[in-house]
Amino acid sequence: MSKTYEVEVLTPLVIGSQDKLQSFEFIKEGDFLRVINFDKLFEMSISKEGLIDTITHALETNPRGFRLDDVVKKYAIDVDKCTRYKIKLDGVRSLPNEVVSFVKSAGRAYIPGASLKGAVRSFLTKALKSTLLKQYENALSSAYEKKIKAIDQRRNGVSPQEVDDAAEVNIFFQSYFSPFKFLQISDTEFVLYENMSGYEIKVLNICDNKVKWYNRRGNFDDPQCGLSIVAEGINPLTKLKGIIKVGDGFVLGNEATGGLKDKFVNIASYKNCIEFLAEVINSATEKYISSEIEFYSKYKLTQIVAEYRKLIGILKGLAPNQFLIQLGFSTGYYSKTVGMFFEKESFAKLKVVDNNSKIYPELFPKTRRVVFKSGNISTIPGWVKVTIGEEMLKDF
Amino acid sequence: MDVILKGKYIVKCKIKAVTGLHIGEGNNSLEIGGIDNAVVKDAEGKPYIPGSSLKGKMRSLMEFAEGKVKDELLVVTKGERDGTSGIHIHICGDEDCVVCGLFGRNHGKHKLKNGEERDFTDAVLPTRLIVRDAKLIKKSITDKMKENLDLEWTEVKFENNIDRITSKANPRQSERVPAGAEFEAEFVVNRLKVDGEDDGDLYIKKLIQAMRLLEDDYLGGQGTRGNGKVQFVDIKIFYKDRDAYFTQKQPQVIAEAAALKNLQF
């Protein structure tokens, strides 16, 4: 039976689209970002002699120095007529030349069912029994051995995108037989632009046991020197609805698939598939947040520790049909993988398998992405509370 | 078998894509500058919902709802060499089977999933349900939406498959019709009298049930992760008895509703 789900955004949620907004597509107006429809601007400007030449010349010669607002003023263009949308910039100190664009359908932002389902799958994976989790480490070892052999033979050998395949198939079966066929999650309704903002994200990098802030020239003590990534995100407290269907086969299986029931430990007696799903995800969330609290406490990032403690408080007070999960952009390696359960030595293998990424086996991952507000550390992105509601309300 | 046409129920409605809709064209070849995983389009290049996609999905949902998905009730329509998968649908010889009665049976011999061979030709009747291709209602994709589309009527959606060990993303793209698009749909249910027994409104009611099941499921591809939530709106059900085809008699509207949830039928 279909039910509604409601996502309540707890910390800024960014789900990036494939495109980035370039500086020639937006204008900063005080605390607001105005995103321009460039095609429309061109259409409107056919009569304005020299405008197209000015823009193309500027973009060809000095794209970074190009300022759309100067052009708009010079040619007296009515920007309201060629504005896609406007969003607030929430405490953004430094606006780079490109902004990470939120995923949209025909210009309307939403949370894709695929993103939520992917996050659910990642968190369920983190909650697996240790014997099953071990299979991921084994898969990494096999990939490592294959890679070593390939290096000897001067071949590439292993694709870092396919290292988990054997473990995934063993645990969740081929897609045709997968229990995830019984889990349907729709896209959410669209988000109003008034519920979205531009958020500034910086990259924390632990160097020599100290907190540093990364930018392309190096790592700095002063966060203001750190690289600023600005991304469109959904504001905390925003609530969005969608439809979810969790078939009994998801947990109990059927003749084609075994279901997920016996793949986790410490799950209270089975009542229904929704409560089962929520309980499993929350058990993974608790482990993950605890390890993050340990990380941030070690480096005395008290604001983030306080944010995570708040999340733990919310987690403890959840009803049986609610879960806490992290999704989207800038949420990091542990959020998306089962890496938090790996032995230290496994990261040495990971470094060989994925030789294009910077992997420091003694501390991995040593970076985190943090949201800044008005120059201060604010929170971590991507946390949402999901409530699975009564039988489908037909208003969505 | 004695079969007489008593009349036709005609359901006219719109199908609204509540989330993006991907009905694949099934052509995996790549064109230069083309898009992976394209949606099916008509001769004018506009996406549409093939009647076969709608009918197939509704049949499948009804098979589950009517308890017909059992090895001894499924026939193999496309087998795989290893015998573990393949495509199975329900067909039987039971004259009271509402699934076969509404969606039809095929002539000839069938191989059942349990290995038996059966021929249901004796039970074959003219198929009661006809599902037309549903054409896109152009104005449902507004100018504002069109400004933001990647292609004339559709958008390109990107998804990533993330490796749970290395966190490397494996991106893929697919084309879809944006949420909000509407299609003009029509269903015809033939009311028959078979060996003196009149269908009455049994099969039109079963069609409405299948439509309700579809609203709570998905149409097209990638439906378990977002796509394909549809709603039936602006519904009108007409009835034309057989005499109407010989006279000037106009069809009667027997039920109408702005949305399926409000349909009293």
Side-chain angles (χ1 to χ4, degrees), chain A residues 84 110 160 185 245 333 357, chain B residues 148 165-166 168 176 217 224 226:
Chain A
R84 275 190 208 274
Y110 70 105
I185 304 182
K245 196 167 165 184
Y333 175 77
S357 301
Chain B
N148 291 292
I165 294 171
T166 62
K168 286 284 167 277
R176 64 176 194 170
D217 210 273
T224 69

Side-chain angles (χ1 to χ4, degrees), chain A residues 148 273 368 391:
Chain A
I148 293 287
C273 41
R368 296 288 189 280
E391 196 181 313

Side-chain angles (χ1 to χ4, degrees), chain A residues 23 102 117 140 192 217 231 281 305 325 336 366:
Chain A
S23 58
F102 201 96
K117 188 175 173 181
L140 176 58
L192 299 172
R217 295 187 307 277
I281 292 172
V305 173
I325 198 163
K336 301 275 189 273
K366 68 189 198 83

Side-chain angles (χ1 to χ4, degrees), chain A residues 217-261:
Chain A
R217 295 187 307 277
N219 296 290
F220 298 87
D221 291 330
D222 180 3
Q224 306 320 318
C225 300
L227 174 80
S228 282
I229 300 160
V230 172
E232 294 179 340
I234 305 178
N235 300 340
L237 300 178
T238 306
K239 292 178 179 177
L240 295 165
K241 282 199 172 76
I243 301 293
I244 188 168
K245 196 167 165 184
V246 194
D248 284 336
F250 183 63
V251 184
L252 303 175
N254 63 7
E255 58 181 41
T257 169
L260 295 174
K261 197 170 188 304

Side-chain angles (χ1 to χ4, degrees), chain A residues 315-371:
Chain A
L315 184 69
K316 298 278 181 212
L318 292 179
N321 61 336
Q322 295 181 316
F323 61 87
L324 222 58
I325 198 163
Q326 192 187 28
L327 63 153
F329 177 76
S330 280
T331 53
Y333 175 77
Y334 279 167
S335 185
K336 301 275 189 273
T337 65
V338 292
M340 58 186 270
F341 301 103
F342 285 177
E343 305 283 340
K344 225 175 186 180
E345 301 78 61
S346 293
F347 294 113
K349 292 177 184 166
L350 187 64
K351 187 180 166 72
V352 175
V353 170
D354 179 13
N355 55 359
N356 287 327
S357 301
K358 284 185 182 168
I359 292 169
Y360 300 88
E362 56 285 359
L363 177 66
F364 184 77
K366 68 189 198 83
T367 62
R368 296 288 189 280
R369 304 258 183 118
V370 174
V371 179

Side-chain angles (χ1 to χ4, degrees), chain A residues 2 18 37 40 84 105-108 110 114 117-118 122 136 160-164 176 183-185 187 243 245 255 333 337-338 354 357 392 394 396, chain B residues 19 71 84-86 113 144-145 147-149 155 157-159 162-169 176 178-179 215-218 224-226 229 231 261:
Chain A
S2 294
Q18 207 67 9
N37 182 339
K40 211 158 191 185
R84 275 190 208 274
S105 169
R108 304 155 299 175
Y110 70 105
K117 188 175 173 181
S122 289
Y136 287 89
Q161 287 141 340
E162 292 165 5
V163 179
D164 69 357
Y176 188 79
L183 176 65
Q184 293 175 19
I185 304 182
D187 294 346
I243 301 293
K245 196 167 165 184
E255 58 181 41
Y333 175 77
T337 65
V338 292
D354 179 13
S357 301
M392 193 168 93
K394 293 271 184 173
F396 168 63
Chain B
T19 65
D71 280 4
T84 57
S85 55
K113 201 182 172 194
K144 181 90 184 150
M145 283 160 76
E147 277 173 20
N148 291 292
L149 289 178
E155 63 188 354
K157 186 190 180 212
F158 287 87
E159 283 181 11
I162 295 172
D163 189 284
R164 263 74 180 184
I165 294 171
T166 62
S167 82
K168 286 284 167 277
R176 64 176 194 170
E215 278 200 348
D216 276 5
D217 210 273
Y218 63 86
T224 69
R225 42 176 205 274
K229 177 173 168 51
Q231 273 176 353
K261 63 180 172 183

Side-chain angles (χ1 to χ4, degrees), chain B residues 60-71:
Chain B
S60 153
L61 293 170
M62 282 293 277
E63 287 174 4
F64 281 102
E66 297 283 339
K68 306 287 182 183
V69 185
K70 294 175 183 159
D71 280 4

